[in-house]
Amino acid sequence: MRYAILILVFFMFPIALHAQDLKPAAVGEVIPHSLGLKDQNGEAKTFENLTGENGLVIVFVRSADWCPYCQVQMLDMRNGEADVITDQGYNIVTLSYDAPETLKKFSERYNFPFTMLSDEGSVAIKSFGIMNEDFAPDHFAYGVPHPHVYVVGKDKVIQAVLAEEGYKNRPQIEAIAAAIKGL
């Protein structure tokens, strides 16, 4: 009997760890990653040099290269609508699995004013527990996040999380601003 329990625990342990990895970072928790990543210009960034007076809004996008829903979301941010967020003392960054060169192309093509973080290898995406596991490691989209928006205070504590069902709908700028205003 004791061996049966040990075998059950041995085989269940990896499943439990895997399931725990899928739990998205939540309100009240400290962000699970330092955001020590390169931006679209290849410059090293961290939470400390990204945050605004009151905090940081992290917009996780699937890809600035091939995802039209992500592109529209970012272009909405660019078109001056994001002032309602930055006026409240929060800087905005996007974060995707795209390489810095890919992000730079998007940034230059569309005159995108915000920092774009490159999470090649999806380490930050995985640590936030939002990696989309629908794709096999050999698929081009392996490593993309489920689109989420995290509002984080200067103390690195998550103040709000916004996400929609599926990948086509994204939290609107007004919803993000309202979440910040309600803090």
Side-chain angles (χ1 to χ4, degrees), residues 18-171:
H18 184 67
Q20 183 179 9
D21 290 345
L22 296 178
K23 181 181 169 268
V27 172
E29 297 176 357
V30 173
I31 58 170
H33 193 275
S34 69
L35 301 182
L37 301 167
K38 290 184 179 179
D39 70 5
Q40 70 267 32
N41 299 312
E43 296 177 17
K45 298 293 183 182
T46 64
F47 179 84
E48 289 74 20
N49 63 24
L50 292 168
T51 189
E53 180 182 330
N54 293 321
L56 184 66
V57 173
I58 308 166
V59 180
F60 284 87
V61 296
R62 292 158 51 97
S63 176
D65 183 39
W66 55 262
C67 178
Y69 304 102
C70 302
Q71 294 166 352
V72 167
Q73 180 184 26
M74 291 185 289
L75 293 177
D76 285 346
M77 292 168 40
R78 177 204 67 181
N79 291 334
E81 294 183 29
D83 290 350
V84 295
I85 294 171
T86 56
D87 289 349
Q88 295 182 65
Y90 287 79
N91 283 347
I92 300 171
V93 300
T94 65
L95 192 152
S96 71
Y97 82 150
D98 294 317
E101 302 78 29
T102 300
L103 298 176
K104 186 170 185 72
K105 286 179 189 174
F106 180 91
S107 179
E108 289 175 348
R109 179 175 184 188
Y110 295 106
N111 196 27
F112 190 70
F114 302 107
T115 300
M116 303 176 80
L117 297 176
S118 170
D119 186 18
E120 291 182 293
S122 303
V123 175
I125 292 166
K126 290 174 188 173
S127 72
F128 273 81
I130 59 172
M131 188 171 108
N132 186 329
E133 294 191 329
D134 291 342
F135 304 104
D138 61 344
H139 192 278
F140 78 92
Y142 178 78
V144 300
H146 291 285
H148 277 64
V149 176
Y150 282 86
V151 178
V152 183
K154 282 191 71 89
D155 58 359
K156 297 185 180 181
V157 174
I158 299 168
Q159 299 174 329
V161 179
L162 295 94
E164 301 284 344
E165 194 67 33
Y167 64 89
K168 294 180 181 180
N169 298 320
R170 306 299 171 90

